[in-house]
Amino acid sequence: DIIVNTDADNQYPGRYIPELVAPVLAGKADIVIANRQIDNIEHFSPMKKLLQKLGSWTVRTVSGTDVPDAVSGFRAYTRDAALRLNILTNFSYTLDTIIQAGKQGLIIESIPVETNGPIRPSRLQRSMGHFIKAQASTIVRLYAFYEPLRTFSYIALPFLLSGLFLWGRFFYTQLTGASNQFIQSVTIGTGLLLVGLFIFLFGVQADITSKHRQMTQETLYRLKKLELEQNKTAVNNPLAP
């Protein structure tokens, strides 16, 4: 009924498991994520603490959730929440699941925990640069995946504004009597406007596709739930046809 996930490096003390699952048992949350209270971790450098906070803020903004420690791997999931989540990235599930949960309206809570000291270097984080690059690319891909129209609109906006500016400059010179000045602005401006328009249309198409993805995701959830119920029935009634 409840899945508890922890890391293999002994970072999270197991004594917090009852507190972690308490909001789930009380029906107050679909997912509970441990908050390591980054400022209290002595072996984290000031730069790492800053980057952790910045990353968590970015995830909160993108997902619409209020998770103080987004990369924490100590979590509890209801069975239904786990069935609804589909891991789309290869690097780390932590950000992936938060963004998915936020977009699907699942309730996420956090509890404060203390952590154990490091036993060995992280096998996931080869270096700080590698970690930042991998996490940033994950956030960007997932945001574009769940908000395609907004993403493509942001990309198209500079082209549209630049094209309108060049057109405006040309028509301004025409109105002020400086004929044939900035005539190249019409050509360049038209090209920029067309590029911006095409990018925006890609966003519209991607947004339509995302609606089909939502229906597919709901179908997949129902299939997984049905399969789970069938497996439970088979285990409880091994002689049933």
Side-chain angles (χ1 to χ4, degrees):
D1 296 324
I2 300 174
I3 299 172
V4 173
N5 189 89
T6 188
D7 288 355
D9 59 2
N10 196 42
Q11 181 180 180
Y12 303 101
R15 68 177 183 273
Y16 286 106
I17 290 178
E19 296 179 40
L20 195 70
V21 302
V24 173
L25 292 172
K28 297 179 179 179
D30 300 301
I31 302 172
V32 183
I33 300 176
N35 175 15
R36 294 171 295 173
Q37 306 173 87
I38 300 298
D39 288 329
N40 298 334
I41 302 179
E42 296 180 356
H43 63 274
F44 276 16
S45 66
M47 177 57 68
K48 186 171 183 177
K49 291 180 180 179
L50 177 61
L51 291 174
Q52 292 274 0
K53 292 178 181 178
L54 179 61
S56 294
W57 174 82
T58 304
V59 173
R60 287 196 297 271
T61 302
V62 170
S63 65
T65 61
D66 188 22
V67 179
D69 189 5
V71 297
S72 172
F74 193 30
R75 304 175 173 204
Y77 300 86
T78 65
R79 179 172 55 187
D80 196 68
L83 289 172
R84 288 188 175 277
L85 299 176
N86 300 286
I87 306 303
L88 304 174
T89 56
N90 294 325
F91 178 70
S92 174
Y93 71 94
T94 54
L95 306 185
D96 195 340
T97 49
I98 291 176
I99 295 174
Q100 284 192 51
K103 297 304 180 181
Q104 295 186 46
L106 300 180
I107 301 173
I108 304 177
E109 287 198 4
S110 296
I111 65 162
V113 300
E114 297 177 350
T115 58
N116 297 321
I119 298 177
R120 57 166 173 78
S122 172
R123 296 173 183 171
L124 181 67
Q125 179 179 331
R126 295 197 295 266
S127 66
M128 186 60 68
H130 167 259
F131 182 77
I132 294 173
K133 179 182 177 180
Q135 297 288 53
S137 63
T138 297
I139 294 173
V140 171
R141 288 200 306 270
L142 288 173
Y143 183 77
F145 186 77
Y146 285 100
E147 298 287 351
L149 181 59
R150 186 174 297 179
T151 301
F152 280 95
S153 296
Y154 289 153
I155 298 173
L157 189 60
F159 294 95
L160 295 173
L161 292 178
S162 298
L164 290 174
F165 170 76
L166 292 176
W167 268 26
R169 184 173 67 168
F170 171 75
F171 286 118
Y172 174 77
T173 57
Q174 294 298 307
L175 293 175
T176 55
S179 59
N180 297 326
Q181 189 175 5
F182 300 123
I183 190 67
Q184 71 277 11
S185 295
V186 177
T187 303
I188 299 174
T190 301
L192 291 172
L193 286 172
L194 288 175
V195 170
L197 179 60
F198 282 137
I199 294 174
F200 177 75
L201 291 177
F202 287 148
V204 173
Q205 180 61 45
D207 188 63
I208 295 173
T209 303
S210 73
K211 304 307 178 186
H212 292 284
R213 175 195 54 77
Q214 291 175 13
M215 291 187 289
T216 302
Q217 195 170 26
E218 181 65 22
T219 302
L220 181 60
Y221 159 72
R222 293 178 181 273
L223 286 174
K224 289 192 292 185
K225 189 172 183 179
L226 178 62
E227 182 180 3
L228 181 63
E229 295 297 329
Q230 289 176 342
N231 290 338
K232 286 176 60 180
T233 301
V235 170
N236 295 330
N237 301 284
L239 299 180

